[in-house]
Amino acid sequence: SQQGEEDPQALSIQEGENATMNCSYKTSINNLQWYRQNSGRGLVHLILIRSNEREKHSGRLRVTLDTSKKSSSLLITASRAADTASYFCATVTNNRLAFGKGNQVVVIP
Amino acid sequence: EAGVAQSPRYKIIEKRQSVAFWCNPISGHATLYWYQQILGQGPKLLIQFQNNGVVDDSQLPKDRFSAERLKGVDSTLKIQPAKLEDSAVYLCASSLGAANNSPLHFGNGTRLTVT
């Protein structure tokens, strides 16, 4: 099944800075979703962006989708220590959802 | 609303033993998923149910893994016999509808260690 690939794999930033993660995929999709996972916990849904959408916002999160380049980005603005987590993109095709390898983000207070 | 419940939280077994995990999805959620997450990797889908029917089990190692969702609500995932490489976190998730339109809600997982 298709999987997203996040880049970079690990990111360490100072509190207040912005964090950007990218995800690329290989085939056509119905939508793309971003999830956060804190250590030892399950994944939490952040944003769903459909294939006919280019940009979506939710609070401090901004997601873009470029279907021509088969890529998506997740921007976290004004990061906080609580944003320290792993972030995963997941592609959805024909109701099948497949996750990428994830980005480890560490926000230093 | 109550979240997805999973039990046990942790399990340690020896190789060749059997183990079972239980999942109670969010009430009213038609779709239920079992994922395997190996340390440092993204979750890998094992099986997806729509109500009590299997939608996708293409990545389920059927010689040792089995899953059922009786009455379209709770689900159990079983491994028999376990291998060392089965050590992972097993995540259950549910969604109101199909993945095309509905985000997934995850439980906290069961961490399995096979020795």
Side-chain angles (χ1 to χ4, degrees), chain B residues 60-71:
Chain B
L60 185 74
K62 297 180 184 66
D63 58 334
R64 298 184 301 105
F65 286 65
S66 65
E68 59 182 8
R69 190 182 184 197
L70 298 177
K71 301 179 182 178

Side-chain angles (χ1 to χ4, degrees), chain A residues 49-65:
Chain A
I49 186 165
R50 302 191 186 283
S51 59
N52 61 352
E53 296 177 311
R54 292 296 166 259
E55 188 171 312
K56 207 160 184 180
H57 297 255
S58 176
R60 294 183 296 111
L61 306 179
R62 173 179 169 251
V63 167
T64 63
L65 178 64

Side-chain angles (χ1 to χ4, degrees), chain A residues 31 35 37 40-42 95-96, chain B residues 9 37 55 98 100 104 107-108:
Chain A
N31 68 60
Y35 288 79
Q37 185 177 35
R41 306 297 295 272
N95 289 316
R96 267 70 164 176
Chain B
R9 190 77 173 91
Q37 186 176 25
V55 172
N100 278 3
L104 275 61
N108 285 327

Side-chain angles (χ1 to χ4, degrees), chain A residues 1 3 30-31 33 35 37 40-43 45 48 50 88 92-97 99-101, chain B residues 9 35 37 40-43 45 48 55-56 59 91 98-104 106-108 111:
Chain A
S1 60
Q3 290 193 345
N30 296 113
N31 68 60
Q33 303 179 26
Y35 288 79
Q37 185 177 35
R41 306 297 295 272
L43 285 77
H45 179 260
L48 182 155
R50 302 191 186 283
F88 295 89
V92 179
T93 303
N94 296 330
N95 289 316
R96 267 70 164 176
L97 188 147
F99 286 90
K101 295 178 182 176
Chain B
R9 190 77 173 91
Y35 282 88
Q37 186 176 25
Q41 298 183 19
L45 180 68
Q48 179 177 339
V55 172
D56 184 356
Q59 298 188 94
L91 294 163
N100 278 3
N101 298 302
S102 305
L104 275 61
F106 282 83
N108 285 327
R111 181 177 296 277

